[in-house]
């Protein structure tokens, strides 16, 4: 359906800043790193990790870890959820990304990165959901296990913010469990050819914590390897 002239003009005005930004990018960053960027065109990509993150506009993978083009193969969705493996021929966007990253690009690391103040997790605690949002409602069920675990650990009457932060972190752990339901992922993990990491990004401080399976705790990423 065509937009009215006023609506079209308003849309162009809203996107003008992005257009200006692209011009700046071409003239500065692209020009400065042209050799590196063109080599990625000629040689193809060889990313170090698959990054599964949330679609939240405040969480920008390359920005928060200061990675370069070609370093991360990024899959983003609402809540950084991973649906359990389902071997059918339906449409599975996140599963397709995992499959391509692991079997074609042969990444050695998978990072599942959740974050504070996640809208998907907060939605789990709302009493009602817009019935017209059928895909969102179904997708959010992938966070229900983490919610149940958080309530069990803290109690139903725990402060809401504590429950939300706990659910955000527990969801990362449950998504790792779902990821291991993919046969080829599990096989490669068992063969020490693939390593899975759970990260938690605090949008208020910019800090990242990683999940330590030995202590069942999240620790500062700066301590990784200590």
């Amino acid at each position: 359906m065509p937009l009215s002239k006023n609506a079209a003009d308003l849309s162009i005005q809203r996107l003008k800043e992005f257009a200006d930004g692209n011009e700046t990018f071409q003239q500065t960053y692209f020009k400065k790193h042209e050799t590196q960027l063109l080599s990625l065109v000629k040689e193809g990509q060889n990313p170090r990790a698959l990054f599964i993150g949330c679609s939240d506009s405040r969480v920008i993978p390359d920005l928060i870890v200061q990675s370069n083009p070609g370093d991360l193969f990024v899959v983003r969705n609402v809540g950084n959820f991973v649906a359990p493996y389902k071997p059918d021929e339906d449409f599975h966007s996140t599963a397709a990304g995992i499959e391509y990253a692991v079997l074609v690009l042969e990444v050695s690391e998978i990072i599942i990165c959740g974050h504070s103040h996640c809208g998907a997790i907060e939605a789990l605690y709302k009493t009602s959901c817009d019935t017209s949002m059928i895909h969102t409602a179904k997708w959010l069920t992938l966070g229900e296990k983490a919610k149940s675990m958080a309530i069990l650990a803290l109690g139903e009457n725990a402060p809401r913010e504590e429950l939300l932060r706990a659910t955000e972190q527990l969801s990362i752990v449950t998504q790792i469990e779902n990821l291991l339901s993919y046969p080829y992922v599990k096989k490669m993990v068992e063969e020490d050819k693939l390593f899975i990491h759970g990260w938690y990004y605090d949008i208020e401080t910019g800090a990242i914590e990683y999940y330590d399976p030995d202590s069942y705790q999240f620790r500062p990423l700066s301590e990784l390897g200590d």
Side-chain angles (χ1 to χ4, degrees):
M1 186 175 182
L3 295 173
S4 68
K5 187 179 186 304
N6 288 342
D9 289 345
L10 182 59
S11 177
I12 290 172
Q13 185 179 343
R14 286 196 293 258
L15 295 179
K16 186 67 169 64
E17 187 175 339
F18 296 150
D20 293 341
N22 179 248
E23 287 188 21
T24 301
F25 166 74
Q26 292 178 68
Q27 295 165 8
T28 56
Y29 186 94
F30 192 93
K31 187 171 290 185
K32 181 179 178 180
H33 300 277
E34 187 171 3
T35 301
Q36 174 193 355
L37 294 170
L38 291 180
S39 71
L40 288 171
V41 177
K42 296 175 183 177
E43 299 171 14
Q45 61 174 322
N46 184 30
R48 285 186 272 171
L50 163 62
F51 187 104
I52 302 175
C54 185
S55 297
D56 192 303
S57 60
R58 300 165 295 180
V59 183
I60 308 170
D62 292 306
L63 184 63
I64 66 176
V65 298
Q66 292 291 282
S67 57
N68 295 312
D71 287 345
L72 298 177
F73 185 80
V74 180
V75 172
R76 299 175 70 174
N77 62 49
V78 173
N80 50 272
F81 292 157
V82 176
Y85 181 70
K86 191 176 181 182
D88 58 27
E89 295 184 358
D90 207 342
F91 298 103
H92 300 288
S93 174
T94 298
I98 294 168
E99 193 173 79
Y100 187 79
V102 174
L103 299 180
V104 178
L105 298 177
E106 298 181 342
V107 298
S108 59
E109 318 293 329
I110 299 179
I111 299 163
I112 298 180
C113 184
H115 66 95
S116 62
H117 302 279
C118 179
I121 297 301
E122 186 175 1
L124 296 172
Y125 287 88
K126 293 183 177 178
T127 55
S128 62
C129 180
D130 187 339
T131 56
S132 68
M133 299 175 64
I134 56 172
H135 298 105
T136 302
K138 178 64 176 178
W139 186 251
L140 288 176
T141 61
L142 294 171
E144 287 293 342
K145 182 176 180 180
K147 175 186 174 181
S148 298
M149 292 168 64
I151 292 174
L152 184 63
L154 300 178
E156 290 186 357
N157 297 320
R160 181 179 175 81
E161 291 302 312
E162 287 185 23
L163 275 174
L164 291 174
R165 301 294 85 79
T167 306
E168 288 161 354
Q169 293 190 339
L170 287 167
S171 178
I172 295 168
V173 179
T174 59
Q175 304 315 316
I176 291 175
E177 293 174 355
N178 287 347
L179 184 56
L180 287 170
S181 70
Y182 291 66
Y184 53 88
V185 170
K186 187 173 187 295
K187 180 175 183 294
M188 294 182 72
V189 168
E190 291 173 344
E191 294 174 351
D192 289 335
K193 295 178 179 177
L194 182 64
F195 301 88
I196 300 175
H197 313 272
W199 287 5
Y200 182 74
Y201 173 64
D202 187 335
I203 66 172
E204 293 178 301
T205 66
I208 297 175
E209 294 179 325
Y210 76 97
Y211 178 66
D212 180 1
D214 294 325
S215 64
Y216 303 102
Q217 293 180 334
F218 281 84
R219 300 182 179 279
L221 191 62
S222 58
E223 295 179 2
L224 189 65
D226 291 350

